Amino acid sequence: MKRRPYVLLAELTYGCPLHCPYCSNPVSSSAESELDLEEWTRVFREAAQLGVLHVGLSGGEPLSRRDLNEIISAAHDSRLYTNLITSGLGLDFARARDLRASGLDSIQISFQADEAVLGDSIAGARAHQHKLEAAAAVTRAGLPLSLNVVLHRHNIGRLPALLLLAESLGAQRLELANVQFYGWAWLNRKSLLPTRDQAQAAFAVAESAKERLAGRMEVVYVLPDYFERRPKPCMQGWGERYLTINPIGQVLPCPNATTIAGLQFENVRHHSLENIWNESASFNRFRGEEWMPLPCRECPERHLDFGGCRCQAALLTGDPAATDPVCSLSPHHLTLQNAVVEETRDLKTSFGMARQNPVAQTSRPDSTSTISKSILYPLRDQNLSSRT
C-alpha cells in the first residue's frame, strides 16, 4: 500500500522567549546544530515530491531564525502552503508584510489567556500586549489569522472571554486545544489537569460557539484525552498522513515520538525524505494493524482511532504498543481514571515548572526522572499489559 504525507511540521528551532509550563518541546535535546537554509530547502523540495501540500513552520519560536524569510521563500518555491506558528513576539507590521512578500500564506499566534495578568503569568514573560499588537499587524498585512489557546486548569474557565478575544482580533480560526501531556506538560500534569466538570463545561461552551460563529470563524475544540472513553485518532494513523522534522533533522511520525524509548529516528542529513518515509523502521513500527495487541486487533473501531496514541501509551504504561489507556477497553483505563480523580481533588494554584530552552545532552534522559511522585506510576508499577 502506497502512503502519502500531506502535512509537514517543520520545527525550525527549540529556542523560545516564553516559558509555558505545557510546552510539548523536549526537556533536553541533542548537541547537534539546527538545519540550515540549504538543508531546509532540500527538505521542502523532497517533501513536495512525496505529496506534501502544507507546511507548518514552528519551534520554539520560528521568528528567532534570521533566515526565516528565505526559509519561507524556499517552501513557497516548492509550491507548499506555508503557515507560521508563532508566539507573536518579534512580529510587527513591517515584518508581517515582509513575510507575506516572501510567500507566507497564513499565521497562527498562541495566546495563554484573554488578559495580560493571567496570560503573562502562564507564559513566564510580558507577552500578552505584544501578542495583541502582533495579531493586529497580521490582519493589517492582509494575512489570514488563526489563534491557538492551550486549555488547562488555570484558563479553561475563561473560554467565553477567549472566544470574544478571538472575534475582536478578526481571527478566521480559533483552536482550543486541551493540554496534551507530553514534554513539559507531562512533567507539570499535576498542576495542569482540569477537573472533569471544567472539561465538560468548556465543551458545552465550545459547541455553542461553533454554532453561533459558523461561517464567520472556525472554532476547533481538541478534546481532553484523559476524560474520554475512546482514544483520539492520533495523527490519523502513525506514518499515514503527517510527518515532523525537528530542528536537528530527525524525521518523526508525530512531534512527540522521541519520547518513545528504543525507537531510533533517521535524519534528513543522512537519508532522503522518501527513503525515511517509506523504508525506515520508525515509520513502519506502528503502521497499519499488524502491530496491534488485543483488544485493538479485533476492535471494530480500529479503523477510526488507529489504536490511539503511541506516545501516550508509552508514557502511561511504559509500552508503546499497549492499548491507549484512554480507551475504556484498555486494562489500564480504570487505573488512569482513578488517578485523574485523585489528583484533581486538591487543585494546585501554581503552574508547575517553567519551561526552559532545551539543554543539550549526549543521550536522552528519562522524561520522568525529575519527578519523585507520579500520578500515573500505578499504571507502570502494576506492570499491566494490554497483550493477551
Side-chain angles (χ1 to χ4, degrees), residues 72-113:
I72 291 170
S73 293
H76 178 76
D77 289 345
S78 291
R79 297 183 176 275
L80 298 174
Y81 181 94
T82 53
N83 179 40
L84 183 68
I85 303 168
T86 174
S87 69
L89 273 68
L91 182 63
D92 57 17
F93 170 67
R95 189 151 196 205
R97 180 190 56 202
D98 290 346
L99 293 173
R100 183 184 181 188
S102 297
L104 186 65
D105 292 297
S106 63
I107 293 183
Q108 174 183 293
I109 297 178
S110 66
F111 274 81
Q112 284 66 39

Side-chain angles (χ1 to χ4, degrees), residues 174-387:
L174 171 62
E175 180 178 299
L176 301 165
N178 278 276
V179 60
Q180 307 291 300
F181 292 102
Y182 313 106
W184 287 93
W186 171 255
L187 299 182
N188 288 320
R189 56 195 179 279
K190 285 186 177 183
S191 298
L192 297 174
L193 269 170
T195 65
R196 184 177 294 275
D197 287 346
Q198 283 181 311
Q200 291 175 341
F203 177 75
V205 172
E207 288 298 297
S208 175
K210 285 182 184 181
E211 182 177 348
R212 177 175 64 84
L213 296 169
R216 288 190 288 149
M217 181 173 73
E218 180 186 9
V219 177
V220 178
Y221 185 78
V222 181
L223 294 167
D225 285 354
Y226 289 2
F227 298 112
E228 298 300 308
R229 292 182 56 80
R230 286 291 180 268
K232 62 188 175 189
C234 191
M235 311 306 295
Q236 296 300 310
W238 180 278
E240 296 289 344
R241 298 185 184 181
Y242 297 86
L243 72 161
T244 294
I245 300 178
N246 69 17
I248 62 172
Q250 290 175 311
V251 187
L252 314 173
C254 86
N256 301 291
T258 55
T259 61
I260 299 178
L263 273 186
Q264 300 297 317
F265 299 98
E266 304 292 353
N267 197 298
V268 292
R269 284 175 165 148
H270 311 301
H271 303 275
S272 71
L273 199 55
E274 180 183 19
N275 176 267
I276 297 172
W277 174 261
N278 290 316
E279 306 298 335
S280 68
S282 59
F283 270 81
N284 284 296
R285 176 63 180 88
F286 300 112
R287 269 182 172 149
E289 300 176 8
E290 292 183 3
W291 65 271
M292 290 184 178
L294 291 172
C296 299
R297 192 185 310 137
E298 297 178 354
C299 178
E301 297 187 16
R302 66 187 183 278
H303 306 301
L304 302 176
D305 60 37
F306 310 101
C309 179
R310 297 304 88 220
C311 301
Q312 190 156 262
L315 286 169
L316 296 180
T317 74
D319 180 6
T323 300
D324 189 333
V326 166
C327 182
S328 62
L329 300 178
S330 166
H332 305 291
H333 181 74
L334 184 59
T335 307
L336 171 62
Q337 295 304 303
N338 289 340
V340 169
V341 170
E342 183 62 30
E343 285 305 320
T344 52
R345 291 186 193 278
D346 180 20
L347 298 182
K348 295 180 179 292
T349 57
S350 71
F351 302 126
M353 293 184 291
R355 178 258 191 209
Q356 304 296 324
N357 288 325
V359 176
Q361 300 283 343
T362 56
S363 61
R364 187 174 67 223
D366 182 88
S367 62
T368 61
S369 61
T370 59
I371 300 297
S372 58
K373 293 181 180 179
S374 166
I375 68 168
L376 300 172
Y377 275 177
L379 277 71
R380 293 181 174 182
D381 294 344
Q382 292 178 27
N383 197 27
L384 298 173
S385 173
S386 61
R387 298 182 184 276

